[in-house]
Amino acid sequence: MKKWFAVIGDPIAHSKSPEMHNAWFAELGIDATYIPLHVTEENLAAAITSLRVLGSSGFNVTIPHKEKIIPYLDELDPLAKKMGAVNTVVRLADGRLKGYNTDGLGFLRSLEMVTGHKPEAKVVLLGAGGAARGIAFAMAQAGYTLTIANRTVARAQAIIDELGHGEAMALSDVDASAYDIIIQTTSAGLSADFALPIDVSRLRKEAFVADIVYNPLVTPFLRAAQKQGATIINGVGMFVNQGAIAFNHWLDVMPDTKSMIASIEEQLGGN
C-alpha cells in the first residue's frame, strides 16, 4: 500500500517540505507521497486522531504545534523529551506514535558539512528560544561546550544549567573576536530595519558564522559577517538536514542532502 506523510502547521502554505520529500521519494523510487495540512490549534487533537485513523506513516510538525503536540503522542525520543518539543512523528509497527526532534541535529550536520567536527571550537549561540535550545542540546551531545548569549541572561542561564556546562551572558557583552563559531538564532538582524544582535566589527576572518534563517539566503547579519571576511552558513542546510533525518526515521533511508541544498539555494536566488 502506498505510504503517505504530511506536515502540519499554521500557517503551512509556505512550507518547502512537501517539495523536498516528494523529490526524494522520486529519486529513491519510493511509492509514497507527502502533503501539507493546515491545522489550527483548536483542531490539533482531532487532526492527530485523523492521522492515526487514516494511516499516515509519519508526519512533521511545525509552528505553532511543536510543544502542544506532545500530550497526543505515545512515546518520545530522549532528546525530544529533554527539549520539550517535537518536529517529527513516526508511526511505529504497532500503530503508536513516537515523537522526535531533528532540528538541532539537522543544524549540527549542516554546520559540520562546512566546518568539520570541531568540538574544541569556541562557540557562541545567540538567542535562547526554541531553536537555540534544540541546537544547544544537539551540540552538547556531540561534545561541544557553548556560550549562550541572550538579551535576557536568565533564559540563557536556564539552558546552560540543563546542559550542565558552558557560560551564559548578555548579547551586549559578546566579543566576536573570542569565538571560532557564531550561531545566530534571534529575530534581531533578520530585517535590515533591526539592529544586529552583536557587533561583528571585531570578527576574525577564520570564524564561521551561521544563521538558521534560509529566506533570505543572506540575512543582514550574515552579510555583515561576510564583509569582515568570515565564512557564512545560511539556514538551508539546517532545513534540509532536519528533513533528511526525519526521512531516515520514517523509511530507514538517508536521502541525498547535498543536491537538495544546492537545488533550494538555486530556487532562492543563490549561485
Side-chain angles (χ1 to χ4, degrees):
M1 187 173 73
K2 187 182 183 84
K3 292 180 182 291
W4 69 277
F5 303 86
V7 56
I8 64 171
D10 180 25
I12 203 63
H14 68 288
S15 176
K16 287 192 170 292
S17 292
E19 182 182 343
M20 177 170 70
H21 286 282
N22 285 318
W24 281 333
F25 294 147
E27 285 175 17
L28 293 166
I30 295 171
D31 187 18
T33 193
Y34 183 110
I35 59 173
L37 296 174
H38 181 213
V39 175
T40 59
E41 187 175 345
E42 59 267 28
N43 291 325
L44 181 59
I48 303 308
T49 298
S50 298
L51 286 160
R52 288 181 188 269
V53 172
L54 296 174
S56 171
S57 297
F59 54 95
N60 287 129
V61 184
T62 189
I63 294 169
H65 305 314
K66 291 185 180 184
E67 295 84 16
K68 297 179 180 73
I69 195 173
I70 289 175
Y72 305 110
L73 303 177
D74 303 304
E75 186 179 343
L76 289 182
D77 173 74
L79 184 58
K81 188 172 185 178
K82 188 177 271 191
M83 289 172 57
V86 164
N87 79 328
T88 299
V89 177
V90 176
R91 185 188 185 96
L92 302 176
D94 60 6
R96 291 181 307 123
L97 299 181
K98 182 174 182 178
Y100 294 83
N101 194 305
T102 68
D103 285 333
L105 185 55
F107 173 81
L108 179 59
R109 288 192 180 178
S110 73
L111 177 73
E112 292 189 341
M113 286 172 77
V114 180
T115 65
H117 183 57
K118 296 183 180 296
E120 74 285 355
K122 292 185 177 179
V123 182
V124 62
L125 183 58
L126 310 181
R133 185 179 169 82
I135 290 168
F137 279 110
M139 293 191 74
Q141 203 170 57
Y144 291 81
T145 299
L146 308 176
T147 295
I148 302 179
N150 194 52
R151 189 168 49 184
T152 305
V153 180
R155 292 191 65 182
Q157 187 63 54
I159 300 175
I160 292 296
D161 289 345
E162 287 188 75
L163 295 177
H165 54 77
E167 181 184 4
M169 66 170 59
L171 285 167
S172 56
D173 291 336
V174 174
D175 176 0
S177 68
Y179 299 98
D180 305 307
I181 298 172
I182 297 175
I183 304 162
Q184 146 67 6
T185 73
T186 75
S187 56
L190 175 58
S191 166
D193 296 334
F194 292 91
L196 298 181
I198 64 168
D199 177 12
V200 296
S201 63
R202 284 167 48 80
L203 191 64
R204 290 185 286 112
K205 289 183 179 179
E206 302 80 24
F208 296 92
V209 179
D211 200 316
I212 64 170
V213 172
Y214 66 84
N215 192 7
L217 277 178
V218 182
T219 63
F221 184 72
L222 289 183
R223 188 172 293 110
Q226 193 173 43
K227 285 179 180 176
Q228 298 300 316
T231 300
I232 62 170
I233 304 166
N234 63 45
V236 175
M238 176 181 178
F239 170 69
V240 172
N241 277 283
Q242 64 79 26
I245 298 165
F247 192 98
N248 190 51
H249 280 313
W250 294 327
L251 296 163
D252 200 27
V253 177
M254 185 59 75
D256 180 355
T257 54
K258 288 186 178 179
S259 64
M260 184 60 68
I261 289 169
S263 174
I264 293 176
E265 286 188 337
E266 185 177 1
Q267 290 173 39
L268 292 173
N271 295 324

